[in-house]
Amino acid sequence: MTVMPAPISATTTTTATILVNIPSRPSIRSASSLSVASSTDTVSSTTTTSVDEVVFRHGKVEDAALMTEMQFSNYHHHYRKILPSSFLDNLNYQAMTDFHAKRMTPSVDKREMAYVIAERHNAESGEVEPIGMSQSMVPWWDRAYNHRWNEGWSQESFDCEIDTLYVKIGIQGGGIGRKLVLGALQEAYDRFNMRKGVIIWTLVANTQGREFYKRIGCEEAGFRTLDLIDYPAECVGYAFRSIGEAIGK
């Protein structure tokens, strides 16, 4: 869940494609269940494209607008019955695009957060299209309040947060989201030397998202309240005890 940032300017640049290493081993706790699913993973029920044919790479500045479109289309699709229209109808596309673009302007090794993009070749259009995105970073605690932790968890348990995780509407449910999580965590481990726990927040009412995090092996770690244009949204955090555990180190 991403809070709307203030508009910021971004410098447009063209960056080279840098692939992201996706760990071949799923999380320790979920290895048995995910190994079964991975053998039949497809991008969607209406395509024969294997998840193994999807390329995972670092985000580029020129991806920013498509990333925002993917993010906000997910908001409208999944949250229309959860969040007030006053929030969904006033999403600022330009501000969010600038937010992503500015943070992808530095070279990959100098970024403060890792952006991972999933893309595939569209047989109909003949073009390569982004179909998913994830982002790992240092936890952003002060965007929310009223943190309540389950037993055995605290703010000190984490040095990583997956702040953004979206798959294009219409091709969800085929293993792309799981690999986006693993790719973002591999980057956090390799580039940012993060070794503690990782937390991923979602709306309490987002039952589909909550089931996904359970399936990939996360534990429910706690709750917090997030202000969305004066609307108090209750969120639940799912976590791995360590990034190394999550990627099978």
Side-chain angles (χ1 to χ4, degrees), residues 82 202-208 210 234:
I82 299 175
T202 190
L203 295 173
V204 170
N206 182 13
T207 55
Q208 182 178 350
R210 296 180 69 172
E234 290 302 308

Side-chain angles (χ1 to χ4, degrees), residues 213-235:
Y213 295 126
K214 292 176 185 177
R215 286 199 306 273
I216 66 173
C218 292
E219 299 178 52
E220 186 181 291
F223 298 84
R224 70 179 186 179
T225 306
L226 182 69
D227 269 337
L228 299 176
I229 310 182
D230 298 324
Y231 174 79
E234 290 302 308
C235 300

Side-chain angles (χ1 to χ4, degrees), residues 17 26 36 89 102 129 139 152 165 167 172 200 203 217 239:
T17 297
V36 174
D89 294 341
K102 183 175 182 180
E129 61 174 355
L165 176 64
V167 176
Q172 297 172 337
I200 314 171
L203 295 173

